[in-house]
Amino acid sequence: MLLLTVPTPPTHLAPRAQRSFAKAFERAAAAGAILVDGNNVRAAAGFRMAPLDVAVCIDEWTAKSALSGRVIQVWDHGKALGAALLPHSACVLSGPDTIADDIIVQACAFLPDSPLLVVSSDNGLCGRAHTQLAENRIGRELSTMHSIHYAWLLEAAVGDDDRWVASSRAARGRREGTGERQAGAAALEAWLPAAAAAPAWAPDA
């Protein structure tokens, strides 16, 4: 079912968190373009989901939220800087010579859509994105969303999945090494050509 109204929040959320969930959905729905820091969202769920799994969830959430064409998910690593159009979102890999943060900051200067929404709990990245617009005197509205709030939106869209529940619990403290992250990016990179060739995913009306 298309999430044209605020969906039911995950059952583990306290009342205050449920209100934050509703506000997050409304902000996402109003955005002209959404830039998602993929690994930061994974961190919100304790790195318990591989990049490929989260990329699929993001594309499914994009479709269910009627936001097709407005979501760009950005990931660290990969053999080379590259991008692919999935059925409902765009997926960018930073390659070995840059990082996802830099791509997101640069995109804030060039994307014509407004308002822009950056999904990340990285205060440094969010600050750089605002500075990019200010220094270049770009009169474009920019807001940010904490990755935990976005993880709740994904959890609600994909249904009950215990791997997302960690978004509000101590498992967020798990760390992931560079080698693990590179391996995850490699699997995502290998999957992208087939995913980009797939027909658009059609949610129930």
Side-chain angles (χ1 to χ4, degrees):
M1 179 176 294
L2 288 173
L3 303 179
L4 300 180
T5 58
V6 178
T8 302
T11 57
H12 62 84
L13 297 185
R16 182 176 179 179
Q18 291 180 17
R19 292 192 291 272
S20 295
F21 171 90
K23 291 179 181 178
F25 178 83
E26 291 167 356
R27 290 173 60 207
I34 303 173
L35 292 158
V36 181
D37 182 352
N39 278 313
N40 196 270
V41 173
R42 289 182 59 235
F47 290 112
R48 296 200 294 174
M49 298 182 75
L52 195 159
D53 294 329
V54 176
V56 171
C57 287
I58 292 173
D59 201 60
E60 181 176 339
W61 171 80
T62 301
K64 288 185 174 180
S65 302
L67 293 171
S68 293
R70 286 195 269 168
V71 177
I72 304 170
Q73 43 179 304
V74 188
W75 297 90
D76 291 305
H77 303 299
K79 293 179 181 178
L81 172 63
L85 291 175
L86 302 182
H88 296 280
S89 62
C91 185
V92 180
L93 284 164
S94 72
D97 299 323
T98 188
I99 59 175
D101 288 14
D102 293 342
I103 293 172
I104 291 172
V105 170
Q106 293 169 21
C108 287
F110 293 103
L111 285 173
D113 309 276
S114 184
L116 292 174
L117 176 64
V118 172
V119 176
S120 181
S121 55
D122 183 336
N123 290 331
L125 166 59
C126 296
R128 288 178 61 200
H130 282 288
T131 300
Q132 174 78 294
L133 297 187
E135 288 184 345
N136 290 281
R137 298 181 179 179
I138 299 172
R140 190 175 300 135
E141 183 181 347
L142 170 68
S143 62
T144 61
M145 179 185 295
H146 199 288
S147 288
I148 289 179
H149 295 166
Y150 186 70
W152 292 342
L153 296 179
L154 295 182
E155 182 183 354
V158 301
D160 293 334
D161 189 328
D162 289 341
R163 294 175 298 178
W164 282 118
V165 176
S167 64
S168 61
R169 299 185 181 177
R172 279 187 286 134
R174 181 183 180 275
R175 295 292 183 264
E176 182 178 68
T178 300
E180 291 178 279
R181 193 166 293 189
Q182 289 173 330
L188 174 59
E189 190 172 37
W191 169 81
L192 285 177
W201 181 83
D204 296 334

